[in-house]
Short mmCIF file of all heavy atoms in Angstrom, two decimals:
data_model
loop_
_atom_site.label_atom_id
_atom_site.label_comp_id
_atom_site.label_asym_id
_atom_site.label_seq_id
_atom_site.Cartn_x
_atom_site.Cartn_y
_atom_site.Cartn_z
N ASP A 752 7.60 -10.14 -7.30
CA ASP A 752 6.87 -10.80 -8.39
C ASP A 752 5.95 -9.83 -9.11
O ASP A 752 5.79 -9.89 -10.33
CB ASP A 752 6.07 -11.99 -7.86
CG ASP A 752 6.94 -13.21 -7.58
OD1 ASP A 752 8.15 -13.18 -7.90
OD2 ASP A 752 6.41 -14.19 -7.03
N GLY A 753 5.32 -8.91 -8.35
CA GLY A 753 4.48 -7.88 -8.97
C GLY A 753 5.27 -7.05 -9.96
O GLY A 753 4.80 -6.77 -11.07
N LEU A 754 6.47 -6.67 -9.58
CA LEU A 754 7.34 -5.90 -10.48
C LEU A 754 7.63 -6.70 -11.75
O LEU A 754 7.58 -6.16 -12.87
CB LEU A 754 8.65 -5.53 -9.77
CG LEU A 754 9.63 -4.67 -10.55
CD1 LEU A 754 9.01 -3.34 -10.95
CD2 LEU A 754 10.88 -4.43 -9.72
N LEU A 755 7.90 -7.99 -11.60
CA LEU A 755 8.15 -8.86 -12.76
C LEU A 755 6.92 -8.93 -13.66
O LEU A 755 7.04 -8.92 -14.89
CB LEU A 755 8.56 -10.26 -12.32
CG LEU A 755 9.92 -10.40 -11.65
CD1 LEU A 755 10.12 -11.82 -11.12
CD2 LEU A 755 11.05 -10.03 -12.60
N ILE A 756 5.75 -9.00 -13.06
CA ILE A 756 4.50 -9.06 -13.83
C ILE A 756 4.31 -7.77 -14.62
O ILE A 756 3.99 -7.80 -15.81
CB ILE A 756 3.29 -9.36 -12.92
CG1 ILE A 756 3.39 -10.78 -12.35
CG2 ILE A 756 1.98 -9.17 -13.68
CD1 ILE A 756 2.45 -11.06 -11.19
N TYR A 757 4.51 -6.64 -13.96
CA TYR A 757 4.39 -5.35 -14.67
C TYR A 757 5.38 -5.29 -15.83
O TYR A 757 5.01 -4.93 -16.96
CB TYR A 757 4.61 -4.16 -13.73
CG TYR A 757 3.47 -3.93 -12.75
CD1 TYR A 757 3.71 -3.86 -11.38
CD2 TYR A 757 2.16 -3.77 -13.19
CE1 TYR A 757 2.66 -3.64 -10.49
CE2 TYR A 757 1.12 -3.54 -12.31
CZ TYR A 757 1.38 -3.48 -10.95
OH TYR A 757 0.34 -3.26 -10.07
N LYS A 758 6.63 -5.65 -15.56
CA LYS A 758 7.65 -5.60 -16.62
C LYS A 758 7.32 -6.54 -17.77
O LYS A 758 7.49 -6.19 -18.93
CB LYS A 758 9.03 -5.92 -16.05
CG LYS A 758 9.62 -4.77 -15.28
CD LYS A 758 11.05 -5.02 -14.86
CE LYS A 758 11.53 -3.78 -14.13
NZ LYS A 758 12.93 -3.77 -13.87
N ALA A 759 6.83 -7.74 -17.45
CA ALA A 759 6.46 -8.71 -18.48
C ALA A 759 5.34 -8.19 -19.37
O ALA A 759 5.19 -8.63 -20.51
CB ALA A 759 6.06 -10.05 -17.84
N ASN A 760 4.56 -7.26 -18.84
CA ASN A 760 3.46 -6.67 -19.60
C ASN A 760 3.81 -5.29 -20.17
O ASN A 760 2.93 -4.55 -20.60
CB ASN A 760 2.21 -6.58 -18.71
CG ASN A 760 1.57 -7.94 -18.52
OD1 ASN A 760 0.81 -8.38 -19.38
ND2 ASN A 760 1.90 -8.61 -17.44
N GLY A 761 5.10 -4.96 -20.14
CA GLY A 761 5.57 -3.71 -20.71
C GLY A 761 5.13 -2.47 -19.96
O GLY A 761 5.01 -1.39 -20.54
N ILE A 762 4.92 -2.61 -18.64
CA ILE A 762 4.45 -1.50 -17.83
C ILE A 762 5.56 -1.05 -16.89
O ILE A 762 6.08 -1.85 -16.11
CB ILE A 762 3.19 -1.89 -17.03
CG1 ILE A 762 2.06 -2.25 -17.99
CG2 ILE A 762 2.76 -0.77 -16.10
CD1 ILE A 762 0.84 -2.86 -17.33
N ASP A 763 5.91 0.23 -16.96
CA ASP A 763 6.92 0.81 -16.09
C ASP A 763 6.23 1.29 -14.82
O ASP A 763 5.71 2.41 -14.76
CB ASP A 763 7.62 1.98 -16.80
CG ASP A 763 8.71 2.62 -15.96
OD1 ASP A 763 9.23 1.96 -15.03
OD2 ASP A 763 9.04 3.80 -16.22
N PHE A 764 6.18 0.42 -13.82
CA PHE A 764 5.44 0.72 -12.60
C PHE A 764 6.08 0.01 -11.42
O PHE A 764 6.37 -1.18 -11.48
CB PHE A 764 3.98 0.25 -12.76
CG PHE A 764 3.08 0.66 -11.63
CD1 PHE A 764 2.61 1.96 -11.54
CD2 PHE A 764 2.70 -0.26 -10.67
CE1 PHE A 764 1.77 2.34 -10.50
CE2 PHE A 764 1.85 0.11 -9.62
CZ PHE A 764 1.38 1.42 -9.55
N GLU A 765 6.27 0.75 -10.34
CA GLU A 765 6.81 0.19 -9.10
C GLU A 765 5.65 -0.19 -8.19
O GLU A 765 4.78 0.65 -7.92
CB GLU A 765 7.67 1.23 -8.39
CG GLU A 765 8.93 1.62 -9.13
CD GLU A 765 10.02 0.59 -9.02
OE1 GLU A 765 10.03 -0.19 -8.04
OE2 GLU A 765 10.85 0.54 -9.94
N PRO A 766 5.63 -1.41 -7.67
CA PRO A 766 4.54 -1.80 -6.77
C PRO A 766 4.35 -0.87 -5.57
O PRO A 766 3.23 -0.71 -5.10
CB PRO A 766 4.95 -3.21 -6.32
CG PRO A 766 5.72 -3.73 -7.49
CD PRO A 766 6.50 -2.54 -7.99
N LYS A 767 5.41 -0.22 -5.12
CA LYS A 767 5.27 0.70 -3.98
C LYS A 767 4.38 1.90 -4.32
O LYS A 767 3.87 2.56 -3.42
CB LYS A 767 6.64 1.16 -3.47
CG LYS A 767 7.38 2.05 -4.44
CD LYS A 767 8.73 2.46 -3.87
CE LYS A 767 9.51 3.28 -4.88
NZ LYS A 767 10.79 3.72 -4.33
N TRP A 768 4.19 2.19 -5.60
CA TRP A 768 3.34 3.30 -6.02
C TRP A 768 1.85 2.93 -5.97
O TRP A 768 0.99 3.80 -6.01
CB TRP A 768 3.67 3.74 -7.45
CG TRP A 768 5.07 4.20 -7.67
CD1 TRP A 768 5.98 4.64 -6.75
CD2 TRP A 768 5.73 4.29 -8.93
NE1 TRP A 768 7.15 4.98 -7.35
CE2 TRP A 768 7.04 4.78 -8.70
CE3 TRP A 768 5.35 4.00 -10.24
CZ2 TRP A 768 7.95 4.98 -9.72
CZ3 TRP A 768 6.27 4.21 -11.26
CH2 TRP A 768 7.55 4.70 -11.00
N PHE A 769 1.56 1.64 -5.94
CA PHE A 769 0.19 1.16 -6.05
C PHE A 769 -0.80 1.84 -5.10
O PHE A 769 -1.86 2.28 -5.54
CB PHE A 769 0.11 -0.37 -5.88
CG PHE A 769 -1.30 -0.89 -5.89
CD1 PHE A 769 -1.98 -1.07 -7.08
CD2 PHE A 769 -1.97 -1.13 -4.69
CE1 PHE A 769 -3.30 -1.52 -7.09
CE2 PHE A 769 -3.29 -1.57 -4.68
CZ PHE A 769 -3.95 -1.77 -5.89
N PRO A 770 -0.51 1.93 -3.79
CA PRO A 770 -1.54 2.48 -2.90
C PRO A 770 -1.99 3.89 -3.29
O PRO A 770 -3.18 4.19 -3.26
CB PRO A 770 -0.91 2.46 -1.51
CG PRO A 770 0.44 1.90 -1.65
CD PRO A 770 0.70 1.54 -3.07
N VAL A 771 -1.07 4.74 -3.67
CA VAL A 771 -1.43 6.11 -4.03
C VAL A 771 -2.15 6.15 -5.38
O VAL A 771 -3.21 6.76 -5.51
CB VAL A 771 -0.18 7.03 -4.07
CG1 VAL A 771 -0.52 8.40 -4.66
CG2 VAL A 771 0.41 7.19 -2.67
N ILE A 772 -1.59 5.46 -6.37
CA ILE A 772 -2.20 5.47 -7.71
C ILE A 772 -3.61 4.89 -7.65
O ILE A 772 -4.55 5.45 -8.20
CB ILE A 772 -1.32 4.71 -8.72
CG1 ILE A 772 0.03 5.41 -8.91
CG2 ILE A 772 -2.04 4.51 -10.05
CD1 ILE A 772 -0.03 6.79 -9.53
N TYR A 773 -3.77 3.76 -6.99
CA TYR A 773 -5.08 3.12 -6.91
C TYR A 773 -6.08 4.00 -6.14
O TYR A 773 -7.23 4.13 -6.54
CB TYR A 773 -4.97 1.73 -6.27
CG TYR A 773 -6.23 0.94 -6.38
CD1 TYR A 773 -6.55 0.28 -7.57
CD2 TYR A 773 -7.13 0.85 -5.32
CE1 TYR A 773 -7.73 -0.44 -7.69
CE2 TYR A 773 -8.31 0.14 -5.44
CZ TYR A 773 -8.60 -0.51 -6.62
OH TYR A 773 -9.77 -1.21 -6.75
N THR A 774 -5.63 4.60 -5.05
CA THR A 774 -6.50 5.45 -4.25
C THR A 774 -6.97 6.66 -5.06
O THR A 774 -8.16 6.99 -5.05
CB THR A 774 -5.79 5.89 -2.95
OG1 THR A 774 -5.48 4.71 -2.20
CG2 THR A 774 -6.66 6.80 -2.12
N LEU A 775 -6.05 7.30 -5.77
CA LEU A 775 -6.44 8.45 -6.59
C LEU A 775 -7.30 8.02 -7.78
O LEU A 775 -8.16 8.79 -8.22
CB LEU A 775 -5.21 9.24 -7.05
CG LEU A 775 -4.53 10.04 -5.95
CD1 LEU A 775 -3.25 10.67 -6.47
CD2 LEU A 775 -5.46 11.09 -5.37
N HIS A 776 -7.10 6.83 -8.26
CA HIS A 776 -7.97 6.30 -9.32
C HIS A 776 -9.40 6.13 -8.78
O HIS A 776 -10.38 6.44 -9.47
CB HIS A 776 -7.42 4.96 -9.81
CG HIS A 776 -8.36 4.18 -10.67
ND1 HIS A 776 -8.81 4.64 -11.89
CD2 HIS A 776 -8.94 2.98 -10.47
CE1 HIS A 776 -9.63 3.74 -12.41
NE2 HIS A 776 -9.73 2.72 -11.57
N GLN A 777 -9.52 5.69 -7.54
CA GLN A 777 -10.84 5.45 -6.94
C GLN A 777 -11.50 6.74 -6.43
O GLN A 777 -12.71 6.89 -6.52
CB GLN A 777 -10.71 4.47 -5.76
CG GLN A 777 -10.31 3.08 -6.16
CD GLN A 777 -11.36 2.38 -6.99
OE1 GLN A 777 -12.54 2.41 -6.66
NE2 GLN A 777 -10.96 1.76 -8.08
N LYS A 778 -10.70 7.67 -5.91
CA LYS A 778 -11.27 8.84 -5.23
C LYS A 778 -10.94 10.16 -5.92
O LYS A 778 -11.30 11.21 -5.42
CB LYS A 778 -10.79 8.87 -3.79
CG LYS A 778 -11.21 7.63 -3.02
CD LYS A 778 -11.68 7.94 -1.67
CE LYS A 778 -12.28 6.71 -1.03
NZ LYS A 778 -12.69 6.94 0.31
N SER A 779 -10.25 10.17 -7.00
CA SER A 779 -9.88 11.28 -7.89
C SER A 779 -9.11 12.44 -7.28
O SER A 779 -8.05 12.76 -7.76
CB SER A 779 -11.07 11.77 -8.71
OG SER A 779 -11.88 12.65 -8.02
N THR A 780 -9.58 13.10 -6.25
CA THR A 780 -8.86 14.24 -5.67
C THR A 780 -8.86 14.12 -4.15
O THR A 780 -9.92 14.04 -3.53
CB THR A 780 -9.54 15.57 -6.07
OG1 THR A 780 -9.60 15.66 -7.49
CG2 THR A 780 -8.75 16.76 -5.53
N LEU A 781 -7.65 14.10 -3.60
CA LEU A 781 -7.51 14.00 -2.14
C LEU A 781 -6.36 14.87 -1.67
O LEU A 781 -5.40 15.11 -2.42
CB LEU A 781 -7.23 12.55 -1.73
CG LEU A 781 -8.32 11.51 -1.94
CD1 LEU A 781 -7.78 10.11 -1.67
CD2 LEU A 781 -9.52 11.79 -1.05
N SER A 782 -6.41 15.26 -0.41
CA SER A 782 -5.30 15.99 0.20
C SER A 782 -4.24 14.98 0.63
O SER A 782 -4.49 13.77 0.68
CB SER A 782 -5.79 16.78 1.41
OG SER A 782 -6.12 15.89 2.47
N VAL A 783 -3.08 15.49 0.99
CA VAL A 783 -1.99 14.63 1.47
C VAL A 783 -2.44 13.85 2.71
O VAL A 783 -2.24 12.63 2.80
CB VAL A 783 -0.72 15.47 1.78
CG1 VAL A 783 0.36 14.61 2.41
CG2 VAL A 783 -0.20 16.16 0.53
N VAL A 784 -3.08 14.54 3.63
CA VAL A 784 -3.55 13.91 4.87
C VAL A 784 -4.58 12.82 4.56
O VAL A 784 -4.54 11.73 5.15
CB VAL A 784 -4.13 14.97 5.84
CG1 VAL A 784 -4.82 14.33 7.03
CG2 VAL A 784 -3.02 15.91 6.30
N GLU A 785 -5.47 13.10 3.62
CA GLU A 785 -6.49 12.10 3.26
C GLU A 785 -5.85 10.88 2.61
O GLU A 785 -6.25 9.75 2.89
CB GLU A 785 -7.52 12.73 2.31
CG GLU A 785 -8.42 13.75 2.99
CD GLU A 785 -9.26 14.55 2.00
OE1 GLU A 785 -8.80 14.81 0.86
OE2 GLU A 785 -10.38 14.94 2.38
N ILE A 786 -4.87 11.10 1.76
CA ILE A 786 -4.18 9.96 1.13
C ILE A 786 -3.47 9.13 2.19
O ILE A 786 -3.58 7.90 2.20
CB ILE A 786 -3.20 10.41 0.03
CG1 ILE A 786 -3.98 10.95 -1.17
CG2 ILE A 786 -2.28 9.27 -0.39
CD1 ILE A 786 -3.13 11.57 -2.25
N ALA A 787 -2.75 9.79 3.09
CA ALA A 787 -2.05 9.07 4.17
C ALA A 787 -3.03 8.22 4.97
O ALA A 787 -2.74 7.06 5.28
CB ALA A 787 -1.32 10.06 5.07
N ALA A 788 -4.20 8.77 5.28
CA ALA A 788 -5.21 8.02 6.03
C ALA A 788 -5.76 6.85 5.22
O ALA A 788 -5.93 5.75 5.75
CB ALA A 788 -6.35 8.95 6.44
N GLU A 789 -6.01 7.07 3.94
CA GLU A 789 -6.55 6.01 3.07
C GLU A 789 -5.58 4.83 2.94
O GLU A 789 -6.01 3.67 2.95
CB GLU A 789 -6.85 6.55 1.67
CG GLU A 789 -8.10 7.38 1.58
CD GLU A 789 -9.39 6.57 1.63
OE1 GLU A 789 -9.39 5.36 1.32
OE2 GLU A 789 -10.41 7.17 1.99
N ILE A 790 -4.29 5.13 2.79
CA ILE A 790 -3.33 4.05 2.56
C ILE A 790 -2.69 3.53 3.85
O ILE A 790 -1.99 2.52 3.83
CB ILE A 790 -2.24 4.46 1.52
CG1 ILE A 790 -1.32 5.55 2.06
CG2 ILE A 790 -2.90 4.87 0.20
CD1 ILE A 790 -0.17 5.92 1.11
N GLY A 791 -2.93 4.25 4.96
CA GLY A 791 -2.41 3.79 6.25
C GLY A 791 -0.92 4.01 6.44
O GLY A 791 -0.28 3.28 7.19
N TYR A 792 -0.36 5.00 5.76
CA TYR A 792 1.05 5.32 5.89
C TYR A 792 1.20 6.57 6.75
O TYR A 792 0.29 7.38 6.85
CB TYR A 792 1.68 5.62 4.52
CG TYR A 792 1.93 4.44 3.62
CD1 TYR A 792 1.39 3.18 3.87
CD2 TYR A 792 2.69 4.59 2.47
CE1 TYR A 792 1.61 2.12 3.01
CE2 TYR A 792 2.92 3.53 1.61
CZ TYR A 792 2.38 2.30 1.88
OH TYR A 792 2.61 1.24 1.03
N SER A 793 2.40 6.74 7.30
CA SER A 793 2.68 7.97 8.04
C SER A 793 2.73 9.14 7.07
O SER A 793 2.93 8.96 5.86
CB SER A 793 4.02 7.85 8.77
OG SER A 793 5.09 7.85 7.81
N HIS A 794 2.56 10.34 7.60
CA HIS A 794 2.61 11.54 6.76
C HIS A 794 3.96 11.66 6.04
O HIS A 794 3.98 11.86 4.81
CB HIS A 794 2.30 12.78 7.62
CG HIS A 794 2.02 14.00 6.83
ND1 HIS A 794 2.99 14.91 6.53
CD2 HIS A 794 0.88 14.46 6.25
CE1 HIS A 794 2.46 15.89 5.81
NE2 HIS A 794 1.18 15.64 5.63
#
Side-chain angles (χ1 to χ4, degrees):
D752 283 354
L754 183 60
L755 291 173
I756 293 166
Y757 289 126
K758 283 187 178 190
N760 285 278
I762 298 171
D763 181 23
F764 187 77
E765 294 283 335
K767 68 180 177 178
W768 300 340
F769 175 80
V771 171
I772 296 295
Y773 190 80
T774 299
L775 288 174
H776 167 63
Q777 293 294 314
K778 300 222 171 177
S779 82
T780 304
L781 293 171
S782 71
V783 175
V784 171
E785 289 169 328
I786 290 173
E789 284 285 337
I790 68 176
Y792 286 12
S793 69
H794 193 266

